[in-house]
Amino acid sequence: MTDAHASLAELRERLEELTGQPGRLAEVLDVPELSYATGVPADTVTALLAGRSVPETSLGDRVRQRLDFLRETRRRPDGKRYSLDELAKIAGTSRQWLSEWRRSGLPSLEHADRIRRHFDLPAGFFTADEAEALHAALQPVLGGLEAKADPLAPLRTPGFYRLARRAPHMSPRKLQALAEWAEMITERNPAEDEDI
């Protein structure tokens, strides 16, 4: 098992613990959104969430697949698909180069990064293997679930501890402001509860 798969397994266990849904993460989490964010096909996301192994893909195959995925899932403002000419312009290169990239799966880092930044994709979008990409996309989900499980977690930071140590020397007005700030941080927002 690679490090990425081991890390994903640990994260999956923690998510199952927090959701109370062992073996059912694909039913609890938004698989299409995870697929959209990672460029990993939805069936592969589902398999990885279930702890199943998926076929390993070569770097070239991943890059080609993610570029095609990008063309299918990201649309122009008018709702139409980006042409290869438009993607080439975004990348700062020619259509011929982009066509070669699709054939070989070996883009230049500069051109791939321009496309990644244009579409606001995560670092490693084109190159991360499926487990790495899913692990990165699940980190905010885990953070959200942990915050729900422990609403005081935002207060357990070094900065807040330093501030709390000063409390005995604060005026009543400053203590009230500090209490209001802590209450605001830990206040649950029902809209955020529905984001997962």
Side-chain angles (χ1 to χ4, degrees):
M1 182 182 286
T2 65
D3 288 342
H5 286 278
S7 296
L8 182 59
E10 289 173 16
L11 189 140
R12 195 175 54 247
E13 285 177 26
R14 181 69 178 132
L15 287 170
E16 288 175 347
E17 178 184 311
L18 288 167
T19 61
Q21 300 291 327
R24 298 179 58 203
L25 287 178
E27 297 170 27
V28 177
L29 302 178
D30 189 342
V31 170
E33 180 60 31
L34 290 168
S35 175
Y36 183 84
T38 60
V40 175
D43 57 337
T44 303
V45 170
T46 300
L48 289 170
L49 287 173
R52 296 191 308 267
S53 61
V54 295
E56 230 174 278
T57 55
S58 70
L59 178 60
D61 288 343
R62 278 196 306 270
V63 170
R64 276 191 296 279
Q65 181 266 325
R66 303 257 169 89
L67 181 61
D68 290 342
F69 182 89
L70 182 72
R71 287 190 70 217
E72 290 300 320
T73 59
R74 277 37 175 212
R75 300 294 173 155
R76 296 185 334 202
D78 64 4
K80 294 182 180 176
R81 217 169 92 153
Y82 281 92
S83 69
L84 286 179
D85 286 329
E86 290 168 317
L87 285 178
K89 186 175 181 179
I90 290 167
T93 189
S94 67
R95 183 180 197 280
Q96 291 78 17
W97 175 88
L98 196 63
S99 294
E100 178 56 33
W101 172 8
R102 288 182 71 211
R103 275 192 295 283
S104 71
L106 301 172
S108 82
L109 294 176
E110 179 182 347
H111 297 138
D113 194 55
R114 283 183 183 174
I115 290 176
R116 182 191 70 78
R117 288 177 187 274
H118 177 82
F119 290 104
D120 195 26
L121 301 168
F125 178 84
F126 289 107
T127 58
D129 74 21
E130 289 78 0
E132 291 170 326
L134 184 57
H135 184 273
L138 287 172
Q139 290 297 324
V141 174
L142 176 63
L145 288 171
E146 286 178 333
K148 284 181 193 175
D150 182 9
L152 298 179
L155 300 179
R156 293 192 184 99
T157 64
F160 192 79
Y161 284 133
R162 282 192 303 275
L163 192 56
R165 281 194 297 271
R166 287 194 241 152
H169 308 293
M170 290 183 174
S171 69
R173 193 179 103 244
K174 286 183 181 178
L175 279 174
Q176 179 62 34
L178 180 61
E180 289 172 4
W181 178 67
E183 200 169 307
M184 180 187 69
I185 289 174
T186 59
E187 188 175 273
R188 289 179 71 127
N189 181 350
E192 290 175 1
D193 291 348
E194 297 172 7
D195 288 345
I196 296 179

